[in-house]
């Protein structure tokens, strides 16, 4: 139990560190400073995420959540990438300070108002970075590889994660499945990607024969 608590604390500290990095070099220090900043740049995800970091740095997770919601309500609906940046920050927050249930609820809400593939790719990146590999496997196998199996990026991202974990046989099995699922015109780049993974993390000789 102590080990689990320590792990959760380390994850929370890392998430805060990642969000605070976006605020590096900023002269903004008070709540009023950040309110003026987002008022002057209402469509800037960077400004809103920095405001979230301010609240997390103060230990106020709920205010950080509310700031994210404000950002999503404020940013122009046409600026999809800016909104997705805020969603990503919210995923990081829920992943570290919330529960698995709150994270998945947040993701489903994001997917209902954004491009589903883009949302789940960002969720997968958060899970991968925090080394929650069982959850990552679930997202890939039950959502991304099921609903977006013609996306090269989905297969390649998952392959890279497996390789970095040292799961070489699952990575190789995934490569075979990728070629069966992807259109022919995507095969060359996919082969190149997995060959580089093999060369870097697995068997260089095997990797060289894949090109």
């Amino acid at each position: 139990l102590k080990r689990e608590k320590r792990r959760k604390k380390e994850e929370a500290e890392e998430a805060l560190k990642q969000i605070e990095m976006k605020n590096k070099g900023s002269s903004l220090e008070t709540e009023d400073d950040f309110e003026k900043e987002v008022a002057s740049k209402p469509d800037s995800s960077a400004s809103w995420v920095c405001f979230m970091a301010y609240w997390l740095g103060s230990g106020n997770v709920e205010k950080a959540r509310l700031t994210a919601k404000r950002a999503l309500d404020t940013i122009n609906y046409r600026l999809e990438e800016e909104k997705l940046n805020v969603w990503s920050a919210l995923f990081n927050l829920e992943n570290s300070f919330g529960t698995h249930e709150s994270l998945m609820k947040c993701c489903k809400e994001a997917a209902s108002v954004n491009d589903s593939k883009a949302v789940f790719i960002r969720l997968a990146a958060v899970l991968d970075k925090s080394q929650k590999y069982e959850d990552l496997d679930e997202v890939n196998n039950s959502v991304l590889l099921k609903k977006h199996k013609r996306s090269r990026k989905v297969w390649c991202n998952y392959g890279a994660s497996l390789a970095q974990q040292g799961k070489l046989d699952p990575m190789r099995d995934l490569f075979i499945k990728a070629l069966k699922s992807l259109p022919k015109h995507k095969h060359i780049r996919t082969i190149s990607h997995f060959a580089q993974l093999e060369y870097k993390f697995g068997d260089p000789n095997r990797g060289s024969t894949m090109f």
Side-chain angles (χ1 to χ4, degrees):
L1 186 60
K2 287 183 178 180
R3 184 180 299 176
E4 177 64 17
K5 286 183 177 179
R6 185 167 64 250
R7 185 181 68 81
K8 288 284 288 182
K9 182 180 178 182
E10 289 173 352
E11 286 177 0
E13 289 174 347
E14 177 61 23
L16 176 58
K17 181 180 176 183
Q18 292 297 321
I19 295 176
E20 283 182 331
M21 283 178 67
K22 297 180 180 294
N23 198 23
K24 191 175 180 180
S26 172
S27 60
L28 307 177
E29 297 180 353
T30 67
E31 179 181 354
D32 190 51
D33 288 339
F34 283 101
E35 287 290 359
K36 290 177 181 177
E37 173 73 6
V38 296
S40 65
K41 301 175 183 177
D43 291 328
S44 169
S45 59
S47 295
W48 286 104
V49 171
C50 286
F51 201 177
M52 290 175 66
Y54 165 78
W55 287 123
L56 290 176
S58 303
N60 199 324
V61 177
E62 190 55 34
K63 285 246 180 155
R65 280 195 185 98
L66 292 173
T67 298
K69 297 296 185 182
R70 279 182 60 196
L72 294 169
D73 288 339
T74 303
I75 295 174
N76 191 296
Y77 72 93
R78 293 188 180 89
L79 303 176
E80 294 180 4
E81 197 67 20
E82 295 295 320
K83 282 183 173 286
L84 283 171
N85 289 340
V86 176
W87 281 112
S88 289
L90 196 50
F91 293 164
N92 271 303
L93 183 153
E94 294 298 344
N95 186 51
S96 298
F97 299 97
T99 63
H100 176 71
E101 289 71 25
S102 68
L103 173 60
M104 296 312 297
K105 180 180 178 181
C106 180
C107 183
K108 288 177 181 177
E109 182 182 350
S112 71
V113 292
N114 295 279
D115 177 69
S116 174
K117 184 178 80 170
V119 167
F120 278 96
I121 283 177
R122 285 178 179 243
L123 174 64
V126 168
L127 294 172
D128 192 21
K129 191 159 191 173
S130 60
Q131 298 183 2
K132 293 187 176 179
Y133 297 128
E134 287 187 10
D135 292 339
L136 176 63
D137 291 340
E138 181 185 347
V139 166
N140 274 296
N141 292 315
S142 66
V143 181
L144 287 171
L145 297 182
K146 192 173 182 180
K147 296 183 178 180
H148 307 288
K149 63 183 179 180
R150 293 174 68 82
S151 167
R152 190 185 71 86
K153 186 174 184 178
V154 167
W155 293 97
C156 290
N157 284 357
Y158 193 23
S161 177
L162 292 172
Q164 289 165 20
Q165 294 175 56
K167 296 180 179 178
L168 299 178
D169 286 337
M171 179 201 74
R172 291 161 185 157
D173 291 341
L174 188 75
F175 170 61
I176 294 171
K177 291 177 183 177
L179 294 185
K180 290 179 179 179
S181 299
L182 291 170
K184 293 285 186 183
H185 70 275
K186 295 184 178 182
H187 282 197
I188 293 178
R189 291 180 66 193
T190 303
I191 292 170
S192 175
H193 178 83
F194 278 86
Q196 290 175 54
L197 292 176
E198 188 71 61
Y199 191 84
K200 185 175 181 180
F201 298 101
D203 182 351
N205 290 329
R206 183 173 185 153
S208 64
T209 63
M210 293 171 66
F211 282 101

